[in-house]
Amino acid sequence: MSPTVRVKTLTIDGQAVGAREDQTIMQVARENNIFVPALCAIEGLTPVGACRLCIVEVKGVNKLLPACATRIEEGMEVTTNSERVANYRRTILEMLFSEGNHICSVCVSNGHCELQTLAKKLGMTHVRVPYRSTMRRVDASHERFIADPNRCILCTRCVRVCDEIEGAHTWDVMGRGINSRIITDLSQPWGDSDSCTSCGKCVNVCPTGALFEKGKAVSEMSKRQEFLPYLTLMREGKK
Amino acid sequence: MIAEELSKTAAAEREAQAQFEHRINVCVAASCLSSNSDKIKSALETEVKKKGLEKSCQVRGVGCMRLCSRGPLVSTETQGEDETQPASVLYQNVTPEDAPALVESLKGEPVKALECPTDTPFFKSQVTIVLENSGKIDPERIEEYIAVEGYATLLKALTTMTPAEVIAEISRSGLRGRGGAGYSTGLKWTTVAKANGGSRKYVICNADEGDPGAFMDRSVLESDPHRILEGMALAAYAVGASHGYIYVRAEYPLAIKRLRAAIRQAERNGLLGTNISGTTFSFTVELRLGAGAFVCGEETALIASIEGKRGQPRPRPPYPAESGVWGCPTLINNVETFANIVPIIREGGDWFAGIGTAKSKGTKVFALTGQIHNTGLIEVPMGTPLREIVYEIGGGIPGGKAFKAVQTGGPSGGCIPAQHLDSPVDYESLIQLGSFMGSGGMIIMDETSCMVDVATYFMEFCMSESCGKCVPCRVGTAHMYDLLQKITRGEATMADLDLLLEVCDVVKNTSLCGLGMGAPQPIFSTLRYFRDEYLAHIEAKQCPAGVCKIHEGNEEVIA
Ligand SMILES: Cc1cc2nc3c(=O)[nH]c(=O)nc-3n(C[C@H](O)[C@H](O)[C@H](O)COP(=O)(O)O)c2cc1C
Ligand code: FES
């Protein structure tokens, strides 16, 4: 924190809070134990505002803003959980469930999945939009890990952790729109990747069972993400 | 080049042009070029040589003459003995074989069979500011641009106006961005000028032009490229930038070629580069070619693309004015916005503000296409009623068919039906009608169009052009497309329509960028005015326009 950073005050869900001017709404909300759902944001990586689950209402702004990628401002009045936003969030979750094949009972991440957890927490009980039933090829060419793109929600955490923290930039996104998918190197098999260091950071930040370790059976794949804030802190300290 | 040298060049060019008694102008913009206008030009050159008229008759390529549907267009000008205005004749649907007759006609009567009347509403009702030089000068020669006072405005501003005065003039003009949303240009310039740039600021010209059916920006670039460079230089001077990018799609090879040539010529003449006209102001322009993704027209995606990254939008704020290309304050404007700058500074902001309506000033260029007699490029004052555009300028609907709707605003726009034809074309009125100004595509549809089919077409476009970054746009556009298809196939129920509307609502309100936010708009507007057509598909399993293939008797197959 540089000495010139100023402190501002705002309200989140009616609660008056203080914050540094360089913080996002999400950071401040979490510091104050106010829950804001998120799938693409993760502490320690650059926010991208892609999953749209963290959208919040800000008084005087006519569009909904992603809490993860919006800086706080003096006097802001934020509402994180209006009826309207809660409904939107549920529909967005339904869209995610319809996009891939999220069949929890056969998934390695069952019980440890952020998508599943959020769906339960936000009260998403049905998927009203038609399932798209994808048939994407599973990549098991890496000696330790497997990528199942059918469970991928394109949060791009793997892309960012590989680029920003590991510095390898093995992962990226290919294609457009509904045909987007994550790839390793130039869409080569993961096992053939020259840039991959096999560090496993991507597997651990993946919110679902899309990236997992070989040898894990249903429900066995829990992820460890504690390393991330720690690594970020170390880096900032070095600067 | 300083001001005196510039006026010398202008005078020399005008004198050289006056040497010719006759001039034959051949349109060499993309549309006419695609019907072989280059061959016409060489046939005319050969013919002039054959007749030994090289000294008295000049053949030259010019930019778009606007009535593209009658192309290739050729015009002849003859200097009168005492008149200052040369007599001019416009010819339509010209072929290379017509060259002898055209050259012959210079001495006598016009070629009646090819003559295209110019006293029609198509030409008479238009007001040309953006297109003032289009079809009149050779876009590949800087001298011709200089001869019509080109770059004089820039040099005047650099030597007699402060940057703040330039911005004040733009603010006074009331000019609003022509790239879609209609944001006040003066306000945007002020923000960028005030932004703390440290060492660098940038100016970007958005020439991505991705709306289906739109070709206004391409035409301006092909017909009058120096106007854009001069407008950008004025903008750079006003906001304190020294470097500019023109982001143009690679599918516009002719525009690119002419821009490249224009930049080179301007640099050679010291009108771009360091210490322009001996002042401390320096400005360089680089081209960046896009691969043609629609979303790369969105400003933050465009900036990512310039930086060599995947062309995806990012959340705003911060706006480019604060943090744009390479993290520096960046001014980004549309081609047509920049094309308005020179006339505003030349004639004054008050002059410009005198044209148009209370909140929408100046003119707007539209690419008129679809089921209409006169397709082509038109420029009309803001506030012109739609009816005048369709029936007078456009010449009405061909084949005795009935008008059904006019689509504006591209994939984020809407369809305006006959009962609103008397509405004026301006930013606010179009939004009120559930449409959008957009960049200037205007598609006319007659009774043979099915509005559900039209909505499906635009949704397919949005689905395949979605960048895939945010969930509602990536998945939602696919669902909306599938549901619309279900309706056009006659397989949908009323519950599907409700679901469609719910998905529309989520996509509109939660998407990251304008592509997703605007994607449901064609559905909203067609439902608003043509709900009965949706119901006909759903309940009666019929397509009233007879466009959609509804397989009747699904039940029979099952039974
Ligand atoms: C999906 C999308 C596509 C766009 N495409 C274009 C385009 O092709 N050309 C353009 O000038 N602006 C386009 N825009 C608008 C730009 O983001 C930006 O607002 C504009 O270039 C600003 O210039 P102006 O103020 O002169 O209008 C697009 C916006 C969105 C959301
Ligand atoms: S967490 Fe903010 S958009 Fe995904």
Side-chain angles (χ1 to χ4, degrees):
Chain A
M1 180 173 154
S2 74
T4 55
V5 173
R6 276 178 297 185
V7 173
K8 308 214 159 167
T9 53
L10 61 152
T11 65
I12 304 183
D13 294 341
Q15 183 182 334
V17 294
R20 294 197 324 263
E21 64 176 355
D22 61 353
Q23 287 187 298
T24 63
I25 297 175
M26 181 175 288
Q27 286 170 331
V28 180
R30 290 191 171 169
E31 276 173 12
N32 290 281
N33 295 318
I34 298 167
F35 170 74
V36 180
L39 278 175
C40 66
I42 181 168
E43 190 66 41
L45 296 181
T46 310
V48 287
C51 76
R52 314 307 285 175
L53 287 167
C54 70
I55 45 167
V56 294
E57 288 171 352
V58 174
K59 194 170 172 191
V61 177
N62 57 9
K63 57 179 188 180
L64 300 169
L65 295 174
C68 67
T70 307
R71 292 266 175 98
I72 57 100
E73 274 165 37
E74 181 65 40
M76 231 179 191
E77 290 177 44
V78 181
T79 309
T80 65
N81 204 10
S82 67
E83 176 83 22
R84 170 172 177 240
V85 163
N87 280 329
Y88 284 159
R89 287 184 185 141
R90 275 191 291 272
T91 314
I92 292 171
L93 281 172
E94 289 177 45
M95 288 185 184
L96 280 174
F97 274 89
S98 75
E99 183 185 23
N101 296 343
H102 299 283
I103 302 157
C104 303
S105 55
V106 297
C107 179
V108 286
S109 286
N110 190 11
H112 314 288
C113 170
E114 294 181 42
L115 179 65
Q116 183 187 39
T117 310
L118 265 191
K120 273 195 273 187
K121 183 154 184 163
L122 301 187
M124 189 211 89
T125 52
H126 291 73
V127 175
R128 291 160 305 156
V129 285
Y131 285 103
R132 301 188 61 81
S133 306
T134 56
M135 289 274 278
R136 302 189 190 123
R137 191 183 284 274
V138 174
D139 184 350
S141 60
H142 193 280
E143 60 173 349
R144 284 169 49 210
F145 310 123
I146 296 179
D148 180 353
N150 299 294
R151 295 175 187 152
C152 172
I153 57 168
L154 289 162
C155 67
T156 68
R157 284 185 188 178
C158 54
V159 177
R160 286 173 284 152
V161 79
C162 188
D163 177 40
E164 296 173 14
I165 305 293
E166 182 63 7
H169 203 133
T170 301
W171 290 103
D172 215 320
V173 179
M174 184 175 122
R176 255 204 320 243
I178 196 73
N179 298 317
S180 306
R181 57 191 180 85
I182 52 161
I183 51 167
T184 42
D185 284 357
L186 297 169
S187 194
Q188 290 136 313
W190 194 357
D192 295 349
S193 166
D194 289 330
S195 62
C196 175
T197 61
S198 302
C199 71
K201 291 189 180 70
C202 52
V203 173
N204 280 304
V205 294
C206 174
T208 70
L211 301 181
F212 59 99
E213 289 164 11
K214 279 189 173 167
K216 294 283 194 233
V218 169
S219 306
E220 284 184 1
M221 185 69 227
S222 62
K223 312 236 168 148
R224 297 172 305 273
Q225 301 176 345
E226 311 77 53
F227 72 94
L228 200 50
Y230 175 68
L231 275 183
T232 321
L233 208 66
M234 296 287 287
R235 291 203 163 188
E236 279 171 0
K238 253 195 270 168
K239 263 196 229 159
Chain B
M1 206 182 254
I2 56 169
E4 286 90 78
E5 294 166 322
L6 192 73
S7 31
K8 237 185 241 160
T9 310
E13 174 67 21
R14 278 195 290 263
E15 196 175 317
Q17 287 177 5
Q19 298 297 311
F20 295 103
E21 190 186 337
H22 305 287
R23 248 195 322 203
I24 307 183
N25 306 315
V26 183
C27 173
V28 288
S31 172
C32 287
L33 207 52
S34 69
S35 37
N36 290 328
S37 67
D38 51 338
K39 297 222 174 70
I40 299 171
K41 184 164 169 255
S42 33
L44 283 164
E45 280 161 353
T46 316
E47 188 63 25
V48 165
K49 265 210 199 92
K50 215 167 86 190
K51 291 234 161 73
L53 297 173
E54 300 104 309
K55 289 250 158 56
S56 65
C57 177
Q58 183 192 23
V59 178
R60 51 176 208 155
V62 295
C64 180
M65 302 199 209
R66 291 176 278 151
L67 193 49
C68 305
S69 58
R70 305 279 173 83
L73 295 172
V74 172
S75 74
T76 61
E77 292 170 81
T78 301
Q79 220 102 32
E81 293 289 293
D82 37 26
E83 296 153 77
T84 43
Q85 197 69 12
S88 162
V89 186
L90 183 65
Y91 294 105
Q92 60 189 13
N93 301 323
V94 179
T95 62
E97 289 73 46
D98 297 324
L102 288 179
V103 175
E104 194 58 43
S105 78
L106 295 174
K107 293 274 176 232
E109 285 297 299
V111 185
K112 279 275 170 287
L114 296 174
E115 212 179 327
C116 177
T118 51
D119 56 352
T120 54
F122 181 86
F123 291 103
K124 289 254 138 105
S125 310
Q126 295 197 38
V127 173
T128 50
I129 295 175
V130 169
L131 302 176
E132 60 184 352
N133 295 332
S134 185
K136 299 210 178 90
I137 64 166
D138 182 345
E140 295 185 359
R141 292 187 59 232
I142 192 171
E143 294 82 5
E144 294 215 9
Y145 182 69
I146 292 175
V148 291
E149 291 179 43
Y151 289 108
T153 311
L154 173 64
L155 297 199
K156 187 186 98 186
L158 291 185
T159 47
T160 64
M161 292 170 89
T162 63
E165 283 168 349
V166 174
I167 296 180
E169 213 57 57
I170 298 297
S171 300
R172 191 167 320 131
S173 76
L175 176 66
R176 295 169 66 176
R178 301 297 195 235
Y183 190 79
S184 157
T185 306
L187 192 55
K188 201 187 263 189
W189 287 26
T190 310
T191 318
V192 181
K194 291 206 170 135
N196 189 353
S199 53
R200 282 188 94 93
K201 287 182 193 176
Y202 290 88
V203 169
I204 299 178
C205 172
N206 186 344
D208 190 59
E209 194 166 53
D211 291 11
F215 54 88
M216 309 74 52
D217 294 349
R218 187 196 72 200
S219 213
V220 172
L221 295 173
E222 286 172 359
S223 305
D224 201 4
H226 284 288
R227 152 185 300 263
I228 303 303
L229 299 181
E230 191 178 353
M232 286 178 73
L234 282 163
Y237 175 65
V239 303
S242 58
H243 194 81
Y245 291 104
I246 302 178
Y247 187 88
V248 52
R249 48 177 52 222
E251 283 116 318
Y252 284 179
L254 188 62
I256 292 165
K257 184 181 139 213
R258 295 206 173 134
L259 276 172
R260 283 222 170 98
I263 293 172
R264 220 171 26 234
Q265 293 165 358
E267 281 172 350
R268 208 175 292 146
N269 285 286
L271 296 163
L272 281 182
T274 41
N275 295 22
I276 296 174
S277 186
T279 66
T280 54
F281 174 64
S282 302
F283 184 56
T284 52
V285 177
E286 258 182 274
L287 288 190
R288 279 284 189 274
L289 306 193
F294 173 63
V295 75
C296 284
E298 195 282 336
E299 54 193 29
T300 59
L302 186 150
I303 287 168
S305 177
I306 286 184
E307 292 174 344
K309 300 188 193 129
R310 185 176 154 88
Q312 281 186 330
R314 60 158 177 79
R316 299 174 307 174
Y319 287 87
E322 187 189 332
S323 172
V325 70
W326 316 117
C328 302
T330 300
L331 172 73
I332 175 163
N333 275 130
N334 168 261
V335 171
E336 196 182 326
T337 313
F338 280 122
N340 276 302
I341 301 304
V342 174
I344 291 173
I345 300 298
R346 190 183 63 213
E347 314 282 338
D350 292 329
W351 160 79
F352 191 83
I355 305 164
T357 66
K359 283 188 169 167
S360 305
K361 300 298 185 188
T363 59
K364 180 76 195 83
V365 180
F366 290 101
L368 197 58
T369 55
Q371 306 303 320
I372 187 136
H373 265 294
N374 303 326
T375 59
L377 209 59
I378 62 165
E379 181 171 0
V380 291
M382 290 278 187
T384 304
L386 280 165
R387 188 181 300 285
E388 187 178 335
I389 296 181
V390 174
Y391 286 100
E392 291 178 29
I393 300 178
I397 316 293
K401 298 260 176 16
F403 168 89
K404 188 167 198 175
V406 40
Q407 206 279 346
T408 70
S412 325
C415 299
I416 302 165
Q419 70 258 35
H420 291 299
L421 269 180
D422 289 313
S423 306
V425 171
D426 61 52
Y427 291 100
E428 277 73 25
S429 307
L430 289 179
I431 286 178
Q432 232 169 36
L433 294 174
S435 190
F436 185 54
M437 179 70 82
S439 55
M442 193 176 263
I443 306 169
I444 312 295
M445 290 173 272
D446 67 16
E447 56 192 327
T448 61
S449 296
C450 164
M451 301 319 276
V452 189
D453 181 58
V454 168
T456 313
Y457 166 80
F458 281 108
M459 197 50 70
E460 185 177 11
F461 181 85
C462 288
M463 174 178 74
S464 53
E465 293 296 332
S466 164
C467 78
K469 178 173 177 172
C470 80
V471 181
C473 178
R474 178 179 79 229
V475 188
T477 52
H479 282 310
M480 291 190 284
Y481 175 69
D482 287 350
L483 287 165
L484 281 169
Q485 272 213 316
K486 208 169 163 188
I487 298 176
T488 58
R489 283 197 306 258
E491 292 164 8
T493 60
M494 287 308 282
D496 288 316
L497 188 60
D498 291 341
L499 182 61
L500 176 63
L501 282 176
E502 195 172 330
V503 176
C504 284
D505 180 38
V506 176
V507 175
K508 176 184 161 147
N509 288 297
T510 66
S511 289
L512 194 163
C513 88
L515 196 158
M517 291 177 193
Q521 221 52 42
I523 299 183
F524 289 141
S525 88
T526 48
L527 255 178
R528 173 166 161 190
Y529 297 118
F530 302 96
R531 193 180 173 84
D532 51 331
E533 288 194 31
Y534 279 83
L535 297 185
H537 285 80
I538 295 168
E539 288 175 335
K541 311 285 175 213
Q542 271 169 6
C543 175
V547 173
C548 304
K549 298 211 165 37
I550 294 183
H551 299 291
E552 288 197 43
N554 279 347
E555 296 88 334
E556 284 163 43
V557 178
I558 295 161

